[in-house]
Amino acid sequence: MSRRILHLDLDAFYAAVEQRDKPSLRGKAVVVGGSGPRGVVATASYEARKFGVRSAMSGAEAKRRAPHAAFLGGRFPAYHASSKVVMDLLREVSPLVEPLSLDEAFVDLAPSGWADEELPERVEWLRAELERRTEGLTASVGVGSVKFLAKLASEDAKPNGSRVLKPEEELDFIAPMAVRAIPGVGPATEQRLVGIGLYTVEDLRGADRRELIRELGQAAGHGLAELAWGRDDRRVEPQRDPKSISTEDTFAVDLTERAHLEQILRRDAAAVARRLTKAGFFARTVTLKVRFGDFTTRTIARSLGGATDDADEIAAAGIASLTDVDVRPGVRLLGIGVSNFVTAAQERLFDDGLLDGPGEPAVSSDEITEELDVPLSGVRGRGGYYPGSDVEHDEHGRGWVWGSGLGRVTVRFETRHSGPGRIATFAVDDPALKSVDPEPLIRGRQGWAGGV
């Protein structure tokens, strides 16, 4: 019996969460990120994608293509809450769940009790239950005998659909696909393959394996030949502990004031410490990341000599590392993170060590990094009033920031359970207005998860 692997991908996740929570934006172009002159798009709604906006595009280009789109800052607590609901649902189906990111996961269906003939019906139940529990999010789901076939099936089902591949149809399904569809084939590899006349997966099957190895190397050539025949022995690895937790800020203009940068580090260290405590870990290493206007990047990892989840200690280590950095050329991005986790606090036994290396740090799939791309004139806007952030007014209730500047904050008062709300403007220091956490999700478990 072949394995049955499910791949689930939430549709336009960040943007979909914003549209769900902001009724006035439903059916409209929404871009998360890209709000500053140096911003980068994190996610675009399908309405924005019709204008050519895509992830990793510069904010300037996105605004040129979709000038009337709503550009919002990230609300990671809302994204994490929805992601947790989805991952918990998947674990009700099978304990073998491998999250790839907040919005994507593999599931090994072997423990689920789902019979092959039931898969289409079971998958539709899963998608409907996910939409109900997340109060409106949708997902694309693919099922195949191996990981990469399941992922290709979910991509074929996008948006908001499903594709369950029967084992006997899998090879025909991938045969006409471009070689670029195979995981690990990027532009450079694709160019090499096209250069020797290999355009499709079917072409790869007919290629001389020795030629592939000569062109791409032993591991890549052999691996590509195996994938062309649908052979992928990677197992679904249940969620592992994160290897690092970090947060970054990209600034609208280069910052040169050390005191300002230290203030931002203290704020971000507090955010990292909260997430560290929530995860139940203590960190032994603090890493500072500084990117300058010319995109050169310096990272400094400082050993604490013990283990902590204390925000002040994390901030102190970051600030100590910052003293070794000349900020006069102007800082474009500043980040702080923690790693080397243990499950118990450890007192400091020796003086701080210092590891300093050039370039970007290695990033693993287990890294949890938050980057809020918001123009900063103070510390992520006064009171946290960046576009899209949650606020509450003593008289008017809950809403979200439509825009802010020149000492004013414009708020649209609505929630995911209301219709489109009215807009009002307040002074940024209005005591009746305050930042609040996102609304919690209230719908719980219901229905049929199978044999678990």
PDB file of all heavy atoms in Angstrom, residues 17 20-23 26 75 77-79 81-82 134-135 390-392 398-400 414-418 436-442:
ATOM      1  N   VAL A  17      -6.406  36.780   6.597  1.00  0.00           N
ATOM      2  CA  VAL A  17      -6.707  37.104   7.990  1.00  0.00           C
ATOM      3  C   VAL A  17      -7.162  38.554   8.098  1.00  0.00           C
ATOM      4  O   VAL A  17      -8.124  38.880   8.800  1.00  0.00           O
ATOM      5  CB  VAL A  17      -5.484  36.842   8.889  1.00  0.00           C
ATOM      6  CG1 VAL A  17      -5.707  37.398  10.301  1.00  0.00           C
ATOM      7  CG2 VAL A  17      -5.191  35.345   8.955  1.00  0.00           C
ATOM      8  N   ARG A  20     -10.661  38.869   6.675  1.00  0.00           N
ATOM      9  CA  ARG A  20     -11.631  38.270   7.606  1.00  0.00           C
ATOM     10  C   ARG A  20     -11.956  39.220   8.751  1.00  0.00           C
ATOM     11  O   ARG A  20     -13.121  39.364   9.138  1.00  0.00           O
ATOM     12  CB  ARG A  20     -11.055  36.965   8.173  1.00  0.00           C
ATOM     13  CG  ARG A  20     -11.939  36.284   9.204  1.00  0.00           C
ATOM     14  CD  ARG A  20     -11.155  35.275  10.020  1.00  0.00           C
ATOM     15  NE  ARG A  20     -10.126  35.917  10.845  1.00  0.00           N
ATOM     16  CZ  ARG A  20      -9.204  35.259  11.536  1.00  0.00           C
ATOM     17  NH1 ARG A  20      -9.163  33.937  11.482  1.00  0.00           N
ATOM     18  NH2 ARG A  20      -8.315  35.907  12.269  1.00  0.00           N
ATOM     19  N   ASP A  21     -10.927  39.866   9.303  1.00  0.00           N
ATOM     20  CA  ASP A  21     -11.104  40.707  10.485  1.00  0.00           C
ATOM     21  C   ASP A  21     -11.532  42.125  10.156  1.00  0.00           C
ATOM     22  O   ASP A  21     -11.903  42.876  11.063  1.00  0.00           O
ATOM     23  CB  ASP A  21      -9.799  40.752  11.283  1.00  0.00           C
ATOM     24  CG  ASP A  21      -9.439  39.400  11.888  1.00  0.00           C
ATOM     25  OD1 ASP A  21     -10.297  38.496  11.858  1.00  0.00           O
ATOM     26  OD2 ASP A  21      -8.305  39.258  12.383  1.00  0.00           O
ATOM     27  N   LYS A  22     -11.510  42.496   8.878  1.00  0.00           N
ATOM     28  CA  LYS A  22     -11.833  43.854   8.454  1.00  0.00           C
ATOM     29  C   LYS A  22     -12.878  43.789   7.331  1.00  0.00           C
ATOM     30  O   LYS A  22     -12.518  43.733   6.152  1.00  0.00           O
ATOM     31  CB  LYS A  22     -10.565  44.574   7.995  1.00  0.00           C
ATOM     32  CG  LYS A  22      -9.486  44.674   9.083  1.00  0.00           C
ATOM     33  CD  LYS A  22      -8.184  45.218   8.526  1.00  0.00           C
ATOM     34  CE  LYS A  22      -7.171  45.523   9.617  1.00  0.00           C
ATOM     35  NZ  LYS A  22      -6.791  44.377  10.444  1.00  0.00           N
ATOM     36  N   PRO A  23     -14.155  43.787   7.674  1.00  0.00           N
ATOM     37  CA  PRO A  23     -15.210  43.595   6.662  1.00  0.00           C
ATOM     38  C   PRO A  23     -15.131  44.556   5.483  1.00  0.00           C
ATOM     39  O   PRO A  23     -15.478  44.183   4.363  1.00  0.00           O
ATOM     40  CB  PRO A  23     -16.503  43.809   7.461  1.00  0.00           C
ATOM     41  CG  PRO A  23     -16.135  43.449   8.866  1.00  0.00           C
ATOM     42  CD  PRO A  23     -14.710  43.890   9.034  1.00  0.00           C
ATOM     43  N   ARG A  26     -13.046  43.123   2.501  1.00  0.00           N
ATOM     44  CA  ARG A  26     -13.381  41.865   1.843  1.00  0.00           C
ATOM     45  C   ARG A  26     -13.682  42.095   0.367  1.00  0.00           C
ATOM     46  O   ARG A  26     -14.434  43.012   0.012  1.00  0.00           O
ATOM     47  CB  ARG A  26     -14.565  41.204   2.543  1.00  0.00           C
ATOM     48  CG  ARG A  26     -14.225  40.739   3.944  1.00  0.00           C
ATOM     49  CD  ARG A  26     -15.428  40.288   4.738  1.00  0.00           C
ATOM     50  NE  ARG A  26     -15.048  40.059   6.146  1.00  0.00           N
ATOM     51  CZ  ARG A  26     -15.928  39.888   7.128  1.00  0.00           C
ATOM     52  NH1 ARG A  26     -17.229  39.909   6.872  1.00  0.00           N
ATOM     53  NH2 ARG A  26     -15.501  39.698   8.364  1.00  0.00           N
ATOM     54  N   ARG A  75       0.183  41.744  11.663  1.00  0.00           N
ATOM     55  CA  ARG A  75      -0.382  41.504  13.011  1.00  0.00           C
ATOM     56  C   ARG A  75      -0.080  40.046  13.370  1.00  0.00           C
ATOM     57  O   ARG A  75      -0.939  39.171  13.262  1.00  0.00           O
ATOM     58  CB  ARG A  75      -1.888  41.753  13.020  1.00  0.00           C
ATOM     59  CG  ARG A  75      -2.300  43.196  12.747  1.00  0.00           C
ATOM     60  CD  ARG A  75      -3.797  43.370  12.947  1.00  0.00           C
ATOM     61  NE  ARG A  75      -4.529  42.407  12.120  1.00  0.00           N
ATOM     62  CZ  ARG A  75      -5.562  41.685  12.567  1.00  0.00           C
ATOM     63  NH1 ARG A  75      -5.985  41.799  13.808  1.00  0.00           N
ATOM     64  NH2 ARG A  75      -6.182  40.848  11.743  1.00  0.00           N
ATOM     65  N   PRO A  77       0.320  38.328  16.139  1.00  0.00           N
ATOM     66  CA  PRO A  77      -0.526  37.580  17.085  1.00  0.00           C
ATOM     67  C   PRO A  77      -1.779  37.000  16.425  1.00  0.00           C
ATOM     68  O   PRO A  77      -2.181  35.877  16.732  1.00  0.00           O
ATOM     69  CB  PRO A  77      -0.875  38.630  18.144  1.00  0.00           C
ATOM     70  CG  PRO A  77       0.281  39.577  18.118  1.00  0.00           C
ATOM     71  CD  PRO A  77       0.664  39.672  16.665  1.00  0.00           C
ATOM     72  N   ALA A  78      -2.382  37.746  15.503  1.00  0.00           N
ATOM     73  CA  ALA A  78      -3.567  37.238  14.806  1.00  0.00           C
ATOM     74  C   ALA A  78      -3.206  36.070  13.898  1.00  0.00           C
ATOM     75  O   ALA A  78      -3.942  35.082  13.803  1.00  0.00           O
ATOM     76  CB  ALA A  78      -4.215  38.364  13.996  1.00  0.00           C
ATOM     77  N   TYR A  79      -2.058  36.162  13.229  1.00  0.00           N
ATOM     78  CA  TYR A  79      -1.646  35.079  12.333  1.00  0.00           C
ATOM     79  C   TYR A  79      -1.297  33.821  13.132  1.00  0.00           C
ATOM     80  O   TYR A  79      -1.667  32.711  12.752  1.00  0.00           O
ATOM     81  CB  TYR A  79      -0.445  35.508  11.492  1.00  0.00           C
ATOM     82  CG  TYR A  79      -0.628  36.824  10.768  1.00  0.00           C
ATOM     83  CD1 TYR A  79       0.453  37.661  10.515  1.00  0.00           C
ATOM     84  CD2 TYR A  79      -1.896  37.253  10.359  1.00  0.00           C
ATOM     85  CE1 TYR A  79       0.288  38.873   9.863  1.00  0.00           C
ATOM     86  CE2 TYR A  79      -2.066  38.467   9.711  1.00  0.00           C
ATOM     87  CZ  TYR A  79      -0.966  39.276   9.470  1.00  0.00           C
ATOM     88  OH  TYR A  79      -1.136  40.476   8.825  1.00  0.00           O
ATOM     89  N   ALA A  81      -2.473  32.953  16.050  1.00  0.00           N
ATOM     90  CA  ALA A  81      -3.699  32.374  16.610  1.00  0.00           C
ATOM     91  C   ALA A  81      -4.427  31.529  15.577  1.00  0.00           C
ATOM     92  O   ALA A  81      -4.879  30.406  15.871  1.00  0.00           O
ATOM     93  CB  ALA A  81      -4.608  33.482  17.137  1.00  0.00           C
ATOM     94  N   SER A  82      -4.557  32.038  14.358  1.00  0.00           N
ATOM     95  CA  SER A  82      -5.233  31.275  13.308  1.00  0.00           C
ATOM     96  C   SER A  82      -4.425  30.050  12.914  1.00  0.00           C
ATOM     97  O   SER A  82      -4.985  28.969  12.673  1.00  0.00           O
ATOM     98  CB  SER A  82      -5.476  32.171  12.084  1.00  0.00           C
ATOM     99  OG  SER A  82      -6.443  33.149  12.364  1.00  0.00           O
ATOM    100  N   THR A 134     -11.674  28.742  11.817  1.00  0.00           N
ATOM    101  CA  THR A 134     -10.917  29.985  11.653  1.00  0.00           C
ATOM    102  C   THR A 134     -11.830  31.154  11.320  1.00  0.00           C
ATOM    103  O   THR A 134     -11.350  32.266  11.090  1.00  0.00           O
ATOM    104  CB  THR A 134      -9.862  29.845  10.543  1.00  0.00           C
ATOM    105  OG1 THR A 134     -10.519  29.551   9.305  1.00  0.00           O
ATOM    106  CG2 THR A 134      -8.861  28.754  10.877  1.00  0.00           C
ATOM    107  N   GLU A 135     -13.121  30.902  11.272  1.00  0.00           N
ATOM    108  CA  GLU A 135     -14.117  31.933  11.008  1.00  0.00           C
ATOM    109  C   GLU A 135     -13.918  32.600   9.649  1.00  0.00           C
ATOM    110  O   GLU A 135     -14.033  33.818   9.512  1.00  0.00           O
ATOM    111  CB  GLU A 135     -14.145  32.966  12.136  1.00  0.00           C
ATOM    112  CG  GLU A 135     -14.425  32.325  13.490  1.00  0.00           C
ATOM    113  CD  GLU A 135     -14.658  33.323  14.597  1.00  0.00           C
ATOM    114  OE1 GLU A 135     -15.256  34.384  14.316  1.00  0.00           O
ATOM    115  OE2 GLU A 135     -14.256  33.044  15.738  1.00  0.00           O
ATOM    116  N   ASP A 390      -4.805  46.815  15.665  1.00  0.00           N
ATOM    117  CA  ASP A 390      -6.052  46.779  16.428  1.00  0.00           C
ATOM    118  C   ASP A 390      -6.063  47.865  17.496  1.00  0.00           C
ATOM    119  O   ASP A 390      -5.085  48.040  18.228  1.00  0.00           O
ATOM    120  CB  ASP A 390      -6.212  45.415  17.100  1.00  0.00           C
ATOM    121  CG  ASP A 390      -6.370  44.293  16.090  1.00  0.00           C
ATOM    122  OD1 ASP A 390      -7.461  44.175  15.515  1.00  0.00           O
ATOM    123  OD2 ASP A 390      -5.392  43.550  15.878  1.00  0.00           O
ATOM    124  N   VAL A 391      -7.180  48.559  17.584  1.00  0.00           N
ATOM    125  CA  VAL A 391      -7.345  49.604  18.599  1.00  0.00           C
ATOM    126  C   VAL A 391      -8.755  49.512  19.184  1.00  0.00           C
ATOM    127  O   VAL A 391      -9.632  48.839  18.645  1.00  0.00           O
ATOM    128  CB  VAL A 391      -7.121  51.019  18.016  1.00  0.00           C
ATOM    129  CG1 VAL A 391      -5.690  51.214  17.557  1.00  0.00           C
ATOM    130  CG2 VAL A 391      -8.090  51.293  16.871  1.00  0.00           C
ATOM    131  N   GLU A 392      -8.928  50.214  20.292  1.00  0.00           N
ATOM    132  CA  GLU A 392     -10.248  50.296  20.914  1.00  0.00           C
ATOM    133  C   GLU A 392     -10.431  51.698  21.480  1.00  0.00           C
ATOM    134  O   GLU A 392      -9.504  52.269  22.054  1.00  0.00           O
ATOM    135  CB  GLU A 392     -10.401  49.250  22.016  1.00  0.00           C
ATOM    136  CG  GLU A 392     -11.806  49.179  22.590  1.00  0.00           C
ATOM    137  CD  GLU A 392     -11.986  47.989  23.523  1.00  0.00           C
ATOM    138  OE1 GLU A 392     -10.967  47.479  24.035  1.00  0.00           O
ATOM    139  OE2 GLU A 392     -13.142  47.580  23.731  1.00  0.00           O
ATOM    140  N   ARG A 398     -14.234  48.693  19.307  1.00  0.00           N
ATOM    141  CA  ARG A 398     -13.063  48.163  18.621  1.00  0.00           C
ATOM    142  C   ARG A 398     -13.015  48.617  17.167  1.00  0.00           C
ATOM    143  O   ARG A 398     -14.050  48.836  16.518  1.00  0.00           O
ATOM    144  CB  ARG A 398     -13.051  46.635  18.657  1.00  0.00           C
ATOM    145  CG  ARG A 398     -12.805  46.039  20.026  1.00  0.00           C
ATOM    146  CD  ARG A 398     -12.638  44.531  19.906  1.00  0.00           C
ATOM    147  NE  ARG A 398     -11.424  44.205  19.178  1.00  0.00           N
ATOM    148  CZ  ARG A 398     -10.290  43.806  19.738  1.00  0.00           C
ATOM    149  NH1 ARG A 398     -10.212  43.686  21.049  1.00  0.00           N
ATOM    150  NH2 ARG A 398      -9.233  43.511  19.001  1.00  0.00           N
ATOM    151  N   GLY A 399     -11.788  48.720  16.664  1.00  0.00           N
ATOM    152  CA  GLY A 399     -11.589  49.057  15.265  1.00  0.00           C
ATOM    153  C   GLY A 399     -10.141  48.809  14.880  1.00  0.00           C
ATOM    154  O   GLY A 399      -9.408  48.130  15.596  1.00  0.00           O
ATOM    155  N   TRP A 400      -9.747  49.378  13.764  1.00  0.00           N
ATOM    156  CA  TRP A 400      -8.367  49.210  13.307  1.00  0.00           C
ATOM    157  C   TRP A 400      -7.888  50.500  12.653  1.00  0.00           C
ATOM    158  O   TRP A 400      -8.681  51.316  12.177  1.00  0.00           O
ATOM    159  CB  TRP A 400      -8.240  48.040  12.344  1.00  0.00           C
ATOM    160  CG  TRP A 400      -9.122  48.087  11.120  1.00  0.00           C
ATOM    161  CD1 TRP A 400     -10.436  47.740  11.042  1.00  0.00           C
ATOM    162  CD2 TRP A 400      -8.737  48.505   9.807  1.00  0.00           C
ATOM    163  NE1 TRP A 400     -10.908  47.919   9.766  1.00  0.00           N
ATOM    164  CE2 TRP A 400      -9.889  48.369   8.980  1.00  0.00           C
ATOM    165  CE3 TRP A 400      -7.547  48.961   9.237  1.00  0.00           C
ATOM    166  CZ2 TRP A 400      -9.885  48.693   7.624  1.00  0.00           C
ATOM    167  CZ3 TRP A 400      -7.543  49.286   7.887  1.00  0.00           C
ATOM    168  CH2 TRP A 400      -8.689  49.143   7.097  1.00  0.00           C
ATOM    169  N   GLU A 414     -14.886  48.620  13.167  1.00  0.00           N
ATOM    170  CA  GLU A 414     -15.560  47.408  12.708  1.00  0.00           C
ATOM    171  C   GLU A 414     -14.818  46.206  13.259  1.00  0.00           C
ATOM    172  O   GLU A 414     -13.648  46.312  13.648  1.00  0.00           O
ATOM    173  CB  GLU A 414     -15.603  47.347  11.178  1.00  0.00           C
ATOM    174  CG  GLU A 414     -14.222  47.301  10.523  1.00  0.00           C
ATOM    175  CD  GLU A 414     -14.282  47.343   9.009  1.00  0.00           C
ATOM    176  OE1 GLU A 414     -15.359  47.626   8.457  1.00  0.00           O
ATOM    177  OE2 GLU A 414     -13.237  47.082   8.371  1.00  0.00           O
ATOM    178  N   THR A 415     -15.465  45.065  13.285  1.00  0.00           N
ATOM    179  CA  THR A 415     -14.852  43.810  13.693  1.00  0.00           C
ATOM    180  C   THR A 415     -15.259  42.743  12.687  1.00  0.00           C
ATOM    181  O   THR A 415     -16.095  42.979  11.810  1.00  0.00           O
ATOM    182  CB  THR A 415     -15.307  43.369  15.095  1.00  0.00           C
ATOM    183  OG1 THR A 415     -16.677  42.959  15.044  1.00  0.00           O
ATOM    184  CG2 THR A 415     -15.149  44.505  16.101  1.00  0.00           C
ATOM    185  N   ARG A 416     -14.674  41.540  12.829  1.00  0.00           N
ATOM    186  CA  ARG A 416     -15.004  40.489  11.868  1.00  0.00           C
ATOM    187  C   ARG A 416     -16.466  40.088  11.938  1.00  0.00           C
ATOM    188  O   ARG A 416     -16.992  39.509  10.995  1.00  0.00           O
ATOM    189  CB  ARG A 416     -14.090  39.282  12.093  1.00  0.00           C
ATOM    190  CG  ARG A 416     -14.475  38.361  13.213  1.00  0.00           C
ATOM    191  CD  ARG A 416     -13.629  37.091  13.195  1.00  0.00           C
ATOM    192  NE  ARG A 416     -12.271  37.376  13.592  1.00  0.00           N
ATOM    193  CZ  ARG A 416     -11.748  37.036  14.762  1.00  0.00           C
ATOM    194  NH1 ARG A 416     -12.486  36.406  15.660  1.00  0.00           N
ATOM    195  NH2 ARG A 416     -10.500  37.318  15.060  1.00  0.00           N
ATOM    196  N   HIS A 417     -17.145  40.406  13.054  1.00  0.00           N
ATOM    197  CA  HIS A 417     -18.544  40.022  13.209  1.00  0.00           C
ATOM    198  C   HIS A 417     -19.504  41.149  12.874  1.00  0.00           C
ATOM    199  O   HIS A 417     -20.718  40.982  12.994  1.00  0.00           O
ATOM    200  CB  HIS A 417     -18.785  39.541  14.646  1.00  0.00           C
ATOM    201  CG  HIS A 417     -17.907  38.395  15.039  1.00  0.00           C
ATOM    202  ND1 HIS A 417     -16.930  38.498  16.007  1.00  0.00           N
ATOM    203  CD2 HIS A 417     -17.827  37.126  14.570  1.00  0.00           C
ATOM    204  CE1 HIS A 417     -16.307  37.343  16.128  1.00  0.00           C
ATOM    205  NE2 HIS A 417     -16.823  36.497  15.266  1.00  0.00           N
ATOM    206  N   SER A 418     -18.978  42.284  12.467  1.00  0.00           N
ATOM    207  CA  SER A 418     -19.840  43.418  12.104  1.00  0.00           C
ATOM    208  C   SER A 418     -19.810  43.598  10.595  1.00  0.00           C
ATOM    209  O   SER A 418     -19.069  42.920   9.880  1.00  0.00           O
ATOM    210  CB  SER A 418     -19.352  44.692  12.792  1.00  0.00           C
ATOM    211  OG  SER A 418     -18.147  45.149  12.183  1.00  0.00           O
ATOM    212  N   VAL A 436      -4.906  47.384  21.252  1.00  0.00           N
ATOM    213  CA  VAL A 436      -5.396  46.177  21.906  1.00  0.00           C
ATOM    214  C   VAL A 436      -4.947  44.951  21.121  1.00  0.00           C
ATOM    215  O   VAL A 436      -4.492  45.053  19.980  1.00  0.00           O
ATOM    216  CB  VAL A 436      -6.937  46.178  22.019  1.00  0.00           C
ATOM    217  CG1 VAL A 436      -7.412  47.266  22.963  1.00  0.00           C
ATOM    218  CG2 VAL A 436      -7.590  46.323  20.649  1.00  0.00           C
ATOM    219  N   ASP A 437      -5.081  43.792  21.726  1.00  0.00           N
ATOM    220  CA  ASP A 437      -4.776  42.538  21.053  1.00  0.00           C
ATOM    221  C   ASP A 437      -5.878  42.200  20.047  1.00  0.00           C
ATOM    222  O   ASP A 437      -7.017  42.658  20.181  1.00  0.00           O
ATOM    223  CB  ASP A 437      -4.658  41.399  22.069  1.00  0.00           C
ATOM    224  CG  ASP A 437      -3.460  41.553  22.977  1.00  0.00           C
ATOM    225  OD1 ASP A 437      -2.454  42.145  22.528  1.00  0.00           O
ATOM    226  OD2 ASP A 437      -3.536  41.095  24.133  1.00  0.00           O
ATOM    227  N   PRO A 438      -5.574  41.379  19.047  1.00  0.00           N
ATOM    228  CA  PRO A 438      -6.606  40.949  18.100  1.00  0.00           C
ATOM    229  C   PRO A 438      -7.729  40.209  18.811  1.00  0.00           C
ATOM    230  O   PRO A 438      -7.534  39.605  19.874  1.00  0.00           O
ATOM    231  CB  PRO A 438      -5.857  40.025  17.141  1.00  0.00           C
ATOM    232  CG  PRO A 438      -4.416  40.417  17.268  1.00  0.00           C
ATOM    233  CD  PRO A 438      -4.240  40.848  18.687  1.00  0.00           C
ATOM    234  N   GLU A 439      -8.915  40.217  18.207  1.00  0.00           N
ATOM    235  CA  GLU A 439     -10.034  39.453  18.742  1.00  0.00           C
ATOM    236  C   GLU A 439      -9.701  37.965  18.737  1.00  0.00           C
ATOM    237  O   GLU A 439      -9.147  37.450  17.759  1.00  0.00           O
ATOM    238  CB  GLU A 439     -11.279  39.663  17.886  1.00  0.00           C
ATOM    239  CG  GLU A 439     -12.024  40.944  18.124  1.00  0.00           C
ATOM    240  CD  GLU A 439     -13.340  40.940  17.366  1.00  0.00           C
ATOM    241  OE1 GLU A 439     -13.300  41.018  16.127  1.00  0.00           O
ATOM    242  OE2 GLU A 439     -14.401  40.840  18.013  1.00  0.00           O
ATOM    243  N   PRO A 440     -10.066  37.238  19.785  1.00  0.00           N
ATOM    244  CA  PRO A 440      -9.805  35.793  19.787  1.00  0.00           C
ATOM    245  C   PRO A 440     -10.780  35.059  18.871  1.00  0.00           C
ATOM    246  O   PRO A 440     -11.870  35.549  18.568  1.00  0.00           O
ATOM    247  CB  PRO A 440     -10.019  35.405  21.245  1.00  0.00           C
ATOM    248  CG  PRO A 440     -11.001  36.415  21.757  1.00  0.00           C
ATOM    249  CD  PRO A 440     -10.666  37.705  21.052  1.00  0.00           C
ATOM    250  N   LEU A 441     -10.353  33.883  18.438  1.00  0.00           N
ATOM    251  CA  LEU A 441     -11.250  32.994  17.699  1.00  0.00           C
ATOM    252  C   LEU A 441     -12.100  32.235  18.706  1.00  0.00           C
ATOM    253  O   LEU A 441     -11.599  31.783  19.741  1.00  0.00           O
ATOM    254  CB  LEU A 441     -10.450  32.018  16.842  1.00  0.00           C
ATOM    255  CG  LEU A 441      -9.679  32.664  15.686  1.00  0.00           C
ATOM    256  CD1 LEU A 441      -8.638  31.695  15.133  1.00  0.00           C
ATOM    257  CD2 LEU A 441     -10.621  33.103  14.583  1.00  0.00           C
ATOM    258  N   ILE A 442     -13.386  32.059  18.421  1.00  0.00           N
ATOM    259  CA  ILE A 442     -14.299  31.522  19.434  1.00  0.00           C
ATOM    260  C   ILE A 442     -14.900  30.182  19.057  1.00  0.00           C
ATOM    261  O   ILE A 442     -15.528  29.529  19.873  1.00  0.00           O
ATOM    262  CB  ILE A 442     -15.445  32.515  19.709  1.00  0.00           C
ATOM    263  CG1 ILE A 442     -16.237  32.795  18.440  1.00  0.00           C
ATOM    264  CG2 ILE A 442     -14.901  33.795  20.312  1.00  0.00           C
ATOM    265  CD1 ILE A 442     -17.445  33.687  18.671  1.00  0.00           C
TER     266      ILE A 442
END
